[in-house]
Amino acid sequence: MVDVDFCVVGAGFAGLTAALRLKQAGHSVTVLEARDRVGGRTYTENRSDGSWLDRGGAWIGPGQDRIYALMDEFGVPSYKQFVDGDAMMFLDGQTYKYRGTVPLSLSPVAVANLGVVFAELTQMCKSIPPDAPWTAPKALRWDRLTWAKWLDANTLSKPARLLLESSVAGLYTSAASELSLLFCLYQMAAAGGPSFVLGVEGAAEDARPVGGMGAIYRAVSAELDDAILLAHPVRGITQDDAGVTVRSDTAEIRARRVIVTVPVAIASHIVYEPMLPVDRALLHQRMPSGAVFKIAMIFDEPFWRADRLSGQSFAPGSAATLTIDSCTEAGTPGILTAITEGAEARALCRLAPADRRQAVLAAVAERFGDRARSPVDYVEHNWSVERYSGGGMISHAPPGVLTEFGPALRRPCGRIHWAGTESSAQMYGFIDGAVRSGERAAAEVVDHEARARV
Ligand SMILES: Cc1cc2nc3c(=O)[nH]c(=O)nc-3n(C[C@H](O)[C@H](O)[C@H](O)COP(=O)(O)OP(=O)(O)OC[C@H]3O[C@@H](n4cnc5c(N)ncnc54)[C@H](O)[C@@H]3O)c2cc1C
């Protein structure tokens, strides 16, 4: 049995940051990580040609101060996302080439409708306190509605509806009919308003760390060194008056407190003794995740740039819902990423790998021409079936959950404390939110211990 001050479950950005801050404050800490790697929902693959791929979370942006602070601490610079050239959108049988946020060549009704909806969302978000969205004046009303239902009442134009439905639902890799309106507003409010989440006027995540997310998480884990035990899925956590015992198949850690950072969608895979309080136990049954593929297509050159295309495209309903230029700061090789979410991702899951590849490349070639059919390499990552993520990209709240169970998201259960991006009041769902949650939980366990000793 290993005896430490604090134990952390999970070595994604939340767990790594929590452990780092605890170690820096002079506490002993052990991190138990289920996978044979750190990073969780981020995963950087270094390639033999010197380039790298982010198979999971990749982008960072304005207002995400805590991930930037971590990068500064470890000397990891960032570079800007390539955005020169036209983006493409395929909506309701029409093709649009455009620069900026939305194609202004959409019908005037659609553009006006988008403007009104955006203004309305901005106002609604202002009434949501990100640290307690369930207390918003209209929380109960909005939590009874789905994102789809709200769009039914607020979108007049078909392209506007399609765009808002698929872009927001895509973020949660689920259908608009599965998402609580209050939850969608909360996630927007937690990022400062709808501009950031909808990527309006340059407010979106617009940069990447040089070397990918791995440049950060490898530096943090080197600092933590042998405090991290890989391939140790936690099976059970027992708490008593004096501390907690955290068990994997081959290790037992005794600590004063434990910080659990696993996604809410799979937090019930751990057996808690005694049983968790009812709100937290039932919350674990109520925040699912969705389906998502992230696919990197590697070419000798980013040929789309020469064609004056940014690489960004959006085609709801296709095998490659979104594409984006994902080259490293060097600009070669050409890396184009396809992200396919929700129902389309589940459809891809049902195909054999060769058929899936063909479907994705065909969809991409329709937009970028025949050169897109022959990448020098094709790397797909199916987060939908990752055992230790429970799907991707993030856990979401269906109707009724935030108002009934929201306060349980961060409330400690005795000696068990909760971190992870889904517990963050700011930048919920983002890597920055994970870092913030780790820092908050590290401060919380130290504070609870100090108070217990008085
Ligand atoms: C395809 C994809 C693209 C994304 N793109 C972006 C993006 O561009 N920008 C952005 O900001 N965010 C993005 N995200 C979201 C972002 O990756 C997450 O918000 C963030 O990584 C979550 O970090 P976390 O530490 O909270 O959780 P995780 O990274 O999920 O960490 C939890 C850790 O717990 C481990 N674990 C699980 N069960 C157990 C167990 N029983 N015992 C021990 N360990 C366990 C897991 O293996 C994992 O390492 C993306 C996510 C995906 C999947």
Side-chain angles (χ1 to χ4, degrees):
M1 165 116 57
V2 178
D3 219 320
V4 285
D5 294 337
F6 300 108
C7 180
V8 175
V9 180
F13 268 90
L16 289 173
T17 311
L20 176 72
R21 299 297 176 228
L22 288 169
K23 187 176 176 197
Q24 287 171 332
H27 304 286
S28 57
V29 59
T30 293
V31 183
L32 293 175
E33 165 55 49
R35 290 176 164 108
D36 59 5
R37 62 170 183 85
V38 303
R41 280 173 275 176
T42 64
Y43 178 14
T44 305
E45 177 188 326
N46 285 329
R47 298 174 57 80
S48 54
D49 61 7
S51 68
W52 39 268
L53 304 175
D54 270 320
R55 290 168 163 242
W59 282 273
I60 50 179
Q64 299 195 327
D65 306 336
R66 296 318 302 160
I67 184 70
Y68 272 110
L70 198 59
M71 289 164 63
D72 281 351
E73 195 174 330
F74 287 93
V76 179
S78 64
Y79 69 102
K80 282 288 181 192
Q81 171 64 31
F82 179 83
V83 288
D84 296 346
D86 289 335
M88 289 183 272
M89 197 178 280
F90 302 82
L91 278 183
D92 199 24
Q94 299 289 321
T95 302
Y96 303 93
K97 277 194 180 175
Y98 65 102
R99 303 204 176 190
T101 311
V102 288
L104 294 175
S105 52
L106 279 172
S107 76
V109 178
V111 173
N113 197 184
L114 286 171
V116 170
V117 167
F118 184 74
E120 180 77 13
L121 288 172
T122 306
Q123 274 313 109
M124 292 160 89
C125 283
K126 282 187 183 153
S127 74
I128 305 226
D131 55 345
W134 44 88
T135 63
K138 293 187 180 162
L140 276 172
R141 201 156 113 203
W142 291 342
D143 207 23
R144 282 168 186 256
L145 294 178
T146 61
W147 178 242
K149 200 82 188 151
W150 188 77
L151 290 179
D152 285 346
N154 289 279
T155 45
L156 309 167
S157 119
K158 197 171 167 201
R161 158 85 198 215
L162 211 54
L163 181 56
L164 286 165
E165 172 155 346
S166 33
S167 54
V168 172
L171 280 173
Y172 312 113
T173 59
S174 301
S177 55
E178 297 179 80
L179 308 163
S180 150
L181 171 63
L182 179 65
F183 169 77
C184 297
L185 294 171
Y186 161 45
Q187 208 237 346
M188 290 175 191
S195 312
F196 194 82
V197 170
L198 297 174
V200 176
E201 285 161 11
E205 289 187 309
D206 61 355
R208 299 180 67 189
V210 172
M213 283 298 154
I216 315 170
Y217 66 62
R218 279 186 212 110
V220 178
S221 51
E223 188 84 9
L224 290 166
D225 196 16
D226 58 2
I228 305 176
L229 302 182
L230 295 177
H232 276 272
V234 167
R235 309 291 185 197
I237 299 177
T238 304
Q239 53 175 322
D240 53 51
D241 288 345
V244 290
T245 306
V246 184
R247 286 185 198 82
S248 72
D249 295 332
T250 51
E252 244 182 42
I253 311 295
R254 183 72 185 163
R256 284 187 265 151
R257 290 177 184 271
V258 59
I259 299 173
V260 177
T261 73
V262 309
V264 187
I266 53 166
S268 64
H269 295 187
I270 297 172
V271 174
Y272 304 88
E273 284 293 344
M275 291 278 285
L276 292 173
V278 63
D279 285 353
R280 182 73 203 193
L282 296 186
L283 176 76
H284 289 176
Q285 301 173 19
R286 282 167 168 75
M287 287 193 65
S289 208
V292 60
F293 273 89
K294 191 168 179 192
I295 299 160
M297 293 153 284
I298 298 106
F299 303 89
D300 290 331
E301 298 289 333
F303 62 85
W304 53 92
R305 293 186 182 184
D307 295 340
R308 295 173 194 269
L309 295 172
S310 67
Q312 198 177 317
S313 70
F314 183 51
S318 103
T321 327
L322 270 172
T323 64
I324 187 160
D325 181 312
S326 302
C327 296
T328 68
E329 78 289 0
T332 49
I335 305 174
L336 191 65
T337 292
I339 301 176
T340 303
E341 300 143 339
E344 291 83 4
R346 299 204 314 276
L348 286 184
C349 287
R350 293 191 281 272
L351 296 178
D355 296 338
R356 186 156 62 227
R357 176 183 163 127
Q358 199 183 7
V360 171
L361 292 180
V364 175
E366 266 182 45
R367 288 165 230 177
F368 295 96
D370 274 345
R371 274 175 295 183
R373 284 186 201 279
S374 320
V376 292
D377 204 357
Y378 173 97
V379 181
E380 66 171 32
H381 201 107
N382 184 3
W383 288 93
S384 332
V385 292
E386 284 270 338
R387 182 183 305 279
Y388 296 115
S389 296
M393 302 188 247
I394 55 174
S395 310
H396 68 261
V401 174
L402 271 185
T403 42
E404 290 290 333
F405 297 92
L409 268 171
R410 274 190 299 281
R411 190 191 294 145
C413 300
R415 293 176 176 277
I416 304 176
H417 297 251
W418 309 100
T421 193
E422 285 88 358
S423 73
S424 187
Q426 277 174 282
M427 293 292 170
Y428 177 111
F430 295 103
I431 297 159
D432 179 80
V435 170
R436 286 171 195 269
S437 76
E439 293 182 332
R440 187 257 312 143
E444 196 177 276
V445 290
V446 172
D447 180 55
H448 274 66
E449 264 318 292
R451 281 195 276 133
R453 280 157 189 262
V454 177

